[in-house]
Amino acid sequence: MNETRHSADARMVYVTCPDIDTARRIASAVVEHFEAACVNIVPGLESVYRWQGQIEIDSELLLLIKTRAEQLPAIQARVAALHPDDVPELVAVPLVEGSAAYLDWLDEQTRPQ
């Protein structure tokens, strides 16, 4: 049986991207700079939203960024610098519990070597 533990620090950050190049650029940058342990790029997302008074429907990709709370400011700055949208979606939620080994790995990978 896998051991689980509670985490006060781990976060899942959701970021939508308009294309694969943007998604890969952001994902690579946050992992390279130890701001995230892992980023999943999920294709096939369709978003419906209101922008400047109009209903928009766009195909997008979703980034699932696994990180720690203290890395959120750096991730926000990097997304702002690399994302083409005026208001990129960036939402972070706490990871309350998870595999102890995975959470330990996440912690290790988000601290500069």
Side-chain angles (χ1 to χ4, degrees):
M1 175 185 269
N2 289 339
E3 179 184 342
T4 62
R5 74 172 166 91
H6 296 285
S7 173
D9 193 38
R11 297 292 185 271
M12 176 78 73
V13 181
Y14 298 90
V15 175
T16 53
C17 295
D19 56 67
I20 190 66
D21 291 336
T22 299
R24 286 179 177 156
R25 188 168 43 252
I26 292 169
S28 296
V30 297
V31 171
E32 178 183 340
H33 291 94
F34 298 94
E35 296 159 356
C38 175
V39 180
N40 302 115
I41 300 174
V42 183
L45 185 69
E46 186 168 85
S47 294
V48 179
Y49 58 96
R50 186 180 320 275
W51 181 251
Q52 299 179 341
Q54 301 292 316
I55 301 296
E56 303 287 338
I57 301 175
D58 287 322
S59 294
E60 296 184 299
L61 296 95
L62 178 64
L63 300 182
L64 302 174
I65 303 171
K66 278 74 81 169
T67 191
R68 291 180 302 112
E70 79 176 41
Q71 293 292 355
L72 290 176
I75 290 172
Q76 290 170 333
R78 197 157 312 278
V79 168
L82 297 175
H83 202 289
D85 289 354
D86 293 335
V87 182
E89 176 183 353
L90 189 150
V91 178
V93 296
L95 296 177
V96 178
E97 190 170 329
S99 156
Y102 183 83
L103 292 176
D104 289 345
W105 174 81
L106 186 155
D107 187 61
E108 178 184 308
Q109 295 304 309
T110 54
R111 296 187 190 277
Q113 306 297 306

